[in-house]
Structure formats: C-alpha cells, structure tokens
Amino acid sequence: MPNRALAANSIDVGVLFSQTGGLSIIEKSLSDATLMAISEINSAGGVLGQQINPIVEDGASDPKTFNEKASKLVIRDRVASVFGCYTSASRKAVLPVVEKRRNLLFYPTYYEGSECSKSIVYTGAVPNQQLSVFIPWIINTLGKKKFFIVGSNYVYPREMAKVSKILIEQNGGEWVADEYLELGHSEWGAMVGKIKASGADVVLSNVVGDSIIAFYREFINQGLTHAELPICATVTAEIEVAAMGADYAAGSYTSVPYFQAIESEANTSFIERFRAFTNDPKAVSHHAMESSYFQVYLWKQAVEAAGKATPAAIVEGVKGQSFDAPNGRVTVDSDSLHVYLTPRIAQWQADGQGKIIEAYPEPIRPFPYMAYGETEDSLFCTAAGLDTAKL
Amino acid sequence: MADIIFIGLSLGSILLLIALGLTIIYGAMGVINMAHGELAMIGAYTAVMAGIHLNLNLILAIPLAFLVTATLGWLIERLVIRRLYSRIMDTLLATWGIALLLQQMIRLSLGLAFFGITIEGMGTGLQSVTLPEAFSQVWRIGDFVLQPYRSFIILVTLGLAGITWLLLYRTAFGIQVRAIMRNPEMAAACGIDVRRVSSITFAYGSGLAGIAGLLLAGLKTVSPDMGASLVVDGFLVVVVGGVGSLVGTIVSAGLLGQINGVVAILSNDILARALVLGLVILVIMWRPGGLFNFKGR
C-alpha cells in the first residue's frame, strides 16, 4: 500500500477523467488542469502544511468504468475528495458511490442542471448562467425575435431548450421550431434547409461534439450568413471553431462564462502556465478546463476553513468560499453547492478567437432547476436538499 | 421543391460513393470488407496531409488519395484476404481487425506517438480540410441555392459510376471480373487468373473508398473513427440494390437518398433514418437477394 506510507504528511485525492477512448481528447485537458492546480498548491507549501497526493485513474470514456474507478478511489484509497467526470453520464455513474460512501466529487463541466446532491460540488455553468443573459441580449441588442432552436438529441440540449423557451417568452420573443439530430450526426443538408425555410431570424444552437463542425459548414455552404441569421450557441467553443475553420464561425456568437480571449492578468498567466505545464505551446483553454483548475483552489480553501481533510468537513467548509479564477470571482452557493459565475457573450473572429462583446457586471446565482420554475424567491435546491414538493 | 430534390440527390450520391467500392468487392470476391470505412478515412487523411505537407488542394489530392488507398487495399488483399477466401466469417473478423489497426495507426501517428513524436495532421484530434475558393461561393437561381461543392460530389460520383461501368462492361478485364462474380471455379477453369483479378478488384474498390472519404472530408470533420458509420450506410445500399449489381447499387442509393431527404425535410432526420432502415428490412424480406439480383455463385 504505497499510499498509506505517504499518509502521514500528505492528503490523497482522486483525479478521475478519461485518459483513453473517444472523450480523452477533451478530458485529458481537464485532468492536466487539475494536476497543474495541485502542483501549484504543493509548491506553495500545500494545504494545512501537507502535500496533496493526486491518485490518477482512467475512466476510459465508459460510465461503468467511472463507477468502478470511483469505488476504488473512495473505498481502497480512502481519498479525501475526487476531482473528475466530464459527461453527465459519467457523473450519474459516480454519484451513487460518493453518496453512499459519504465522499465528495468536484465536477467541472457545464451541464443541464436538475441535480441537487450534497456529495457533489458543481463548478461548471448550469443553463441559467449560459442563457439568462444571452437570450435577453439576443432579443434586445441583436434585435432578433424569432428563434429556431436546434440541438443534439439527448438530455443537455433538451433541458437547455426548455430554459430557452421560458426566457424567450419572458422577453417577448417567439420560437418557431425546436429540432434535434442524433449525437454525432454529420449530414446537415435537410436541417439547414428547414432553418432557411422557417422564417426564423436567429438560430439557437445546443449542438454538441463534432456535429457542430458539419453544421456550421453546411450553414455557410447553403448561402446563409451570420450577419443576417446568426447562430447563437451554448457549446461551440475554441476547439470546435479551430476544427471547422474559423471562417465558418466568424460573426456567430457563443455564451459561456470563460473564453480563452478574456483579457486579464490572471487569464494570460493561467494560459501561459498551462502551456508550460503541458509542454504544448498551442494548448487551448476552455470553460470546463478552467473550472477543473479553480475548483482545486476552492477545495483547498475548504480544507483550510474546515481545519481537516475529511469529506464531511470539506463539504461544510466549501460553502460560501470565493476564489479569483481566470474568469473572475467565483463563489460556492451554500444552498445548491453550485457556483456563482459571470455570463459572457463572445463573437467569433476570423482568427478563431472569441471577442468578448458582453460580460455581465457580476457573477450570477446558479439555479439548477430553472427548467422547472426555480427562481430567486422559490429555491428548489436548498441546503436541506431538493424540495421535491415543488417539482 | 428543387431544394428537397437537390438534398436527396446529394445524400444519394454520397451513399453511392461509399457503396460503389463495397459492391464490387462484395460481388466479385464474396468478401464483406469491414475495413471499407477505414479506407475512406485514410482517403480523408490523405487530403488533410496533402494540404498540410504538400500544399495540394482537395481536387489535386484526388488521384493521390486513390493511389494511397488502392495500394493499401492491394496490400491487405495480398497479406490477409487472399488466405481467407470462401471463409466469409473469417474475412469479416479479419477485415474488422484491419479496421481497428488502421484507426490506431492514425491515432498514434503511425506508432511514432510511442516515442513522443507527433505528425502534424494525424493524432487523436479532429482535422479538417479547406475547400478551394471556387466552392465557397453559392450560385443562386431564383430562390434555389445551388451548392457548388455538393454539385461537384454528385458529378464526381456519376463520373466514377460511369468509369466503373465502362471497366466492367467494355473491357476484357471487366468480362473476367463478371465471370468471377457468376462462378469463380468455372472462371478459373476457363483460364482466368482469379487471384490476380481479385487483387486488382480489391485495390480498385479500396481506391474508390479513398476518393469517397476525401470528398466527405469537405463536408464533415476528419477523425480516426469517422469510417465506422460510413460502412453501415454502404452496406444498406448494397443489400437493397442486390449483391454485385452496379445498376442495383445506383438505383438503391438514389432511392434511399431521396426518401431520406424528403422525410427529413417534411418531418425530421431521426424519423427519416428510422424509415429508411424499416424500408431496408421490408425490401430484404420481400426480395432477400436485393432489388436487382441475378442468379449466380
């Protein structure tokens, strides 16, 4: 048991992402960002005078493997917390393990919401943090009122569409269609034809994965332009824009809390350090990867606040913690264990970077159940857990 | 209306492009080539690499992609398939294995990734090709928007189908291939060098797959696992059209493409896919040999 030997002056944590398989392209960057934060904290003296010892496991792009590896980390290695998971499917597979064994998962991805576990700290955006500034901005600033909503056919785009419809109606717009294509679908001829014939003046895209590339290409190839009929997206990020060729995205919009192009001392230094850490001068930074980084610092502050590194103490300690992340100030909401984030809107430029044209003045509160009517005055996810009477 | 027909035509031409090589190989050799999609993937990567390292545009890369994949196909036939003739389950497994090998070969930069070397244009990530300038404009005829690139794919597909027809029905080599399709033992007894003809047929079919992959690279992203879904669509066309029938393959590709396009526009893509699969099941229940089957083998 090599980990036991270290136990006296170090704290074990699990790092659980896919190092192999189809999702490893993205998840490797999340794993790297996590390890970079750990190494930074260690060289600054660690936490409570102890070094952090990351135990890296491979989820292999397979939810069942995620479940097994999480059990191994929690039961055999007795880690203080696990940093990991990218897809909702892998999170759902790890959830019963951390809940039953009273451990703690730090989850960095933007996701569809509708979850209120007291064993998970969610540091990515939920739908209201991507959409509640975006939709009013599209209607009022862009002046576009007729939405064509399109997405990949699974839970995230469908929940995003629900929240979008609530916001579109609240702001006096209308939606003319809500359409889905299989995940990974790459033949967009018919769908783009439908968009053209629909009379919509803006496209809201929740398309995921490499379908995005075929979609934007077909959109331009059919003679549509982002100037007349802009694609406003929630997932399209630096990686996809680079893969499709920046010309196809130039002029379209995306809303997430973090862009590589954020101009701040903190972000520039973050990107430089990440490129040095991964030894890749062209490494791209993105939202989930930035969350993977700052959530380790939130964890560190929680351990220090609690005075000890046990999951039960950390989950109490993390409530209300704030940290100056590359994207700005992030704060853990004591009720939902989600994070306050600053919504940003960027327009894609011909160089493949997003130009930030709108940033909300302050971080906004996460409402994981907004699709079902959660508001500031009527919280569904409270410190006591999910209020099921309201669903 | 013209829009819908155009999209259907475009979908059909892509199906035909993939199925063309598959049907010749399946017809002439009775080999279900599971690596067909991966050969298309290699064709797509040839376009990517030619763009990066040789500065060739997509059109100039077409002969190169044909050569690369045809050579690869020839090697696969010589080294593996030749030893497994008339063992259909074994060729199925062997070509599936080759498919996995080809995928990993690209993912690991021909294996150099083990030594920390990466080749630009390969690796695990997504790649893309840039279309020549002429294809990025659109031609408008009234309300109808003609997409130059999709039109180009339709033309190339028709051209390749024409060349394949000429090869099969107007040359001495084609007579040999058709003789082998009907009855390989009898053809051998008549003095036809079945092994040689098979090698060339396999290489030609592989080359067609390479061109298909290259043309698709202009529409979608290029990644090591792009081939898997292509081969499924290809087999649907071959099964409906009738094994080894060139006319059958063309008709069924056109038919499935149009049905897919019309249903996708009128309702949605997911229903269109389900309907096409349902139709394929009905066709093979009604005519197990496909629409244009001939007696043989």
Side-chain angles (χ1 to χ4, degrees), chain B residues 61-245:
Chain B
I62 290 176
L64 189 66
F66 181 85
L67 274 180
V68 168
T69 48
T71 312
L72 199 61
W74 187 79
L75 282 174
I76 292 171
E77 202 278 340
R78 278 293 162 117
L79 296 176
V80 181
I81 291 168
R82 166 154 300 190
R83 297 159 209 281
L84 299 171
Y85 275 141
S86 68
R87 290 158 62 183
I88 191 159
M89 288 312 283
D90 295 343
T91 48
L92 197 74
L93 280 175
T95 49
W96 174 246
I98 291 168
L100 296 178
L101 279 175
L102 292 177
Q103 277 183 28
Q104 297 307 330
M105 190 180 92
I106 294 294
R107 241 184 224 125
L108 298 170
S109 300
L110 307 174
L112 293 173
F114 289 124
F115 307 102
I117 304 167
T118 48
I119 300 177
E120 200 189 344
M122 288 194 186
T124 48
L126 301 175
Q127 305 288 342
S128 63
V129 294
T130 22
L131 293 179
E133 198 60 32
F135 289 140
S136 50
Q137 277 112 36
V138 288
W139 301 327
R140 288 171 199 278
I141 306 161
D143 267 352
F144 175 63
V145 173
L146 186 70
Q147 296 179 58
Y149 189 63
R150 282 186 186 262
S151 315
F152 176 70
I153 294 184
I154 295 171
L155 288 179
V156 173
T157 308
L158 289 178
L160 289 176
I163 291 172
T164 307
W165 182 84
L166 280 177
L167 210 63
L168 281 180
Y169 291 90
R170 287 289 177 271
T171 65
F173 176 76
I175 293 174
Q176 296 183 348
V177 174
R178 283 185 292 137
I180 295 172
M181 279 187 183
R182 297 290 169 126
N183 190 330
E185 287 85 12
M186 191 60 86
C190 295
I192 294 172
D193 186 347
V194 176
R195 295 191 151 213
R196 189 180 141 268
V197 172
S198 295
S199 294
I200 298 173
T201 311
F202 199 88
Y204 179 71
S206 303
L208 290 181
I211 297 180
L214 172 136
L215 290 174
L216 282 178
L219 291 175
K220 54 200 271 180
T221 40
V222 179
S223 66
D225 43 17
M226 69 184 284
S229 59
L230 298 181
V231 77
V232 176
D233 287 345
F235 274 119
L236 290 185
V237 173
V238 173
V239 165
V240 170
V243 173
S245 162

Side-chain angles (χ1 to χ4, degrees), chain A residues 181 186-187 194 217-218 243, chain B residues 128-129 138 150 220 267 269:
Chain A
L181 277 181
S186 62
E187 178 48 67
K194 247 190 272 185
R217 285 196 159 208
E218 182 67 26
Chain B
S128 63
V129 294
V138 288
R150 282 186 186 262
K220 54 200 271 180
S267 69
D269 278 276

Side-chain angles (χ1 to χ4, degrees), chain A residues 186-267:
Chain A
S186 62
E187 178 48 67
W188 282 85
M191 184 67 86
V192 173
K194 247 190 272 185
I195 291 175
K196 210 167 17 171
S198 69
D201 56 15
V202 60
V203 179
L204 185 71
S205 160
N206 301 312
V207 181
V208 175
D210 63 348
S211 295
I212 293 173
I213 288 108
F215 174 38
Y216 279 64
R217 285 196 159 208
E218 182 67 26
F219 191 82
I220 299 298
N221 288 345
Q222 287 207 15
L224 297 171
T225 61
H226 294 303
E228 269 177 50
L229 179 63
I231 298 180
C232 294
T234 53
V235 180
T236 311
E238 286 84 357
I239 295 178
E240 288 86 8
V241 172
M244 74 178 78
D247 285 346
Y248 292 96
S252 68
Y253 303 92
T254 294
S255 169
V256 279
Y258 177 84
F259 289 94
Q260 183 167 334
I262 290 177
E263 283 176 15
S264 69
E265 192 88 4
N267 186 43

Side-chain angles (χ1 to χ4, degrees), chain A residues 74-361:
Chain A
V74 168
I75 297 169
R76 208 179 98 190
D77 300 329
R78 299 191 189 169
V79 295
S81 299
V82 178
F83 301 99
C85 301
Y86 174 65
T87 63
S88 286
S90 63
R91 186 191 70 250
K92 293 277 185 202
V94 169
L95 177 85
V97 178
V98 286
E99 284 196 339
K100 201 159 124 198
R101 300 282 167 176
R102 309 239 149 85
N103 210 293
L104 193 57
L105 170 71
F106 280 73
Y107 176 68
T109 320
Y110 51 94
Y111 83 112
E112 63 280 356
S114 307
E115 207 172 274
C116 185
S117 172
K118 295 301 150 197
S119 295
I120 301 183
V121 179
Y122 307 82
T123 60
V126 286
N128 77 300
Q129 292 170 316
Q130 287 191 271
L131 293 167
S132 63
V133 173
F134 202 23
I135 303 270
W137 178 85
I138 293 169
I139 293 174
N140 300 322
T141 309
L142 278 186
K144 307 285 187 185
K145 292 203 162 51
K146 290 173 84 176
F147 287 74
F148 192 109
I149 306 173
V150 60
S152 304
N153 196 16
Y154 76 105
V155 59
Y156 173 78
R158 286 193 176 266
E159 292 292 305
M160 290 294 271
K162 275 187 202 158
V163 176
S164 306
K165 288 174 189 168
I166 294 172
L167 287 163
I168 290 168
E169 275 153 28
Q170 277 173 4
N171 287 281
E174 57 174 318
W175 55 276
V176 295
D178 179 16
E179 295 273 352
Y180 298 90
L181 277 181
E182 288 164 78
L183 201 59
H185 194 89
S186 62
E187 178 48 67
W188 282 85
M191 184 67 86
V192 173
K194 247 190 272 185
I195 291 175
K196 210 167 17 171
S198 69
D201 56 15
V202 60
V203 179
L204 185 71
S205 160
N206 301 312
V207 181
V208 175
D210 63 348
S211 295
I212 293 173
I213 288 108
F215 174 38
Y216 279 64
R217 285 196 159 208
E218 182 67 26
F219 191 82
I220 299 298
N221 288 345
Q222 287 207 15
L224 297 171
T225 61
H226 294 303
E228 269 177 50
L229 179 63
I231 298 180
C232 294
T234 53
V235 180
T236 311
E238 286 84 357
I239 295 178
E240 288 86 8
V241 172
M244 74 178 78
D247 285 346
Y248 292 96
S252 68
Y253 303 92
T254 294
S255 169
V256 279
Y258 177 84
F259 289 94
Q260 183 167 334
I262 290 177
E263 283 176 15
S264 69
E265 192 88 4
N267 186 43
T268 316
S269 146
F270 169 65
I271 295 166
E272 269 171 26
R273 279 177 285 138
F274 185 72
R275 287 177 174 172
F277 184 79
T278 55
N279 200 13
D280 175 3
K282 284 194 247 169
V284 174
S285 55
H286 52 96
H287 174 44
M289 171 231 157
E290 190 241 4
S291 295
S292 303
Y293 172 78
F294 74 65
Q295 69 178 8
V296 181
Y297 279 92
L298 289 174
W299 174 88
K300 169 188 177 262
Q301 292 177 0
V303 173
E304 284 167 348
K308 57 179 175 179
T310 64
I314 296 169
V315 77
E316 282 310 310
V318 82
K319 290 177 179 170
Q321 287 298 337
S322 280
F323 177 71
D324 284 314
N327 86 72
R329 195 147 192 82
V330 295
T331 308
V332 180
D333 179 24
S334 307
D335 281 312
S336 63
L337 296 182
H338 287 61
V339 167
Y340 282 70
L341 291 164
T342 311
R344 284 190 178 80
I345 301 165
Q347 184 178 39
W348 296 104
Q349 308 293 308
D351 66 355
Q353 287 296 323
K355 182 178 161 209
I356 291 149
I357 49 174
E358 182 87 8
Y360 203 66

Side-chain angles (χ1 to χ4, degrees), chain A residues 13-37:
Chain A
V13 296
V15 178
L16 179 56
F17 293 101
S18 301
Q19 309 285 342
T20 56
L23 291 164
S24 61
I25 305 172
I26 290 277
E27 295 194 29
K28 187 76 177 58
S29 67
L30 309 189
S31 169
D32 286 340
T34 308
L35 294 175
M36 176 169 98

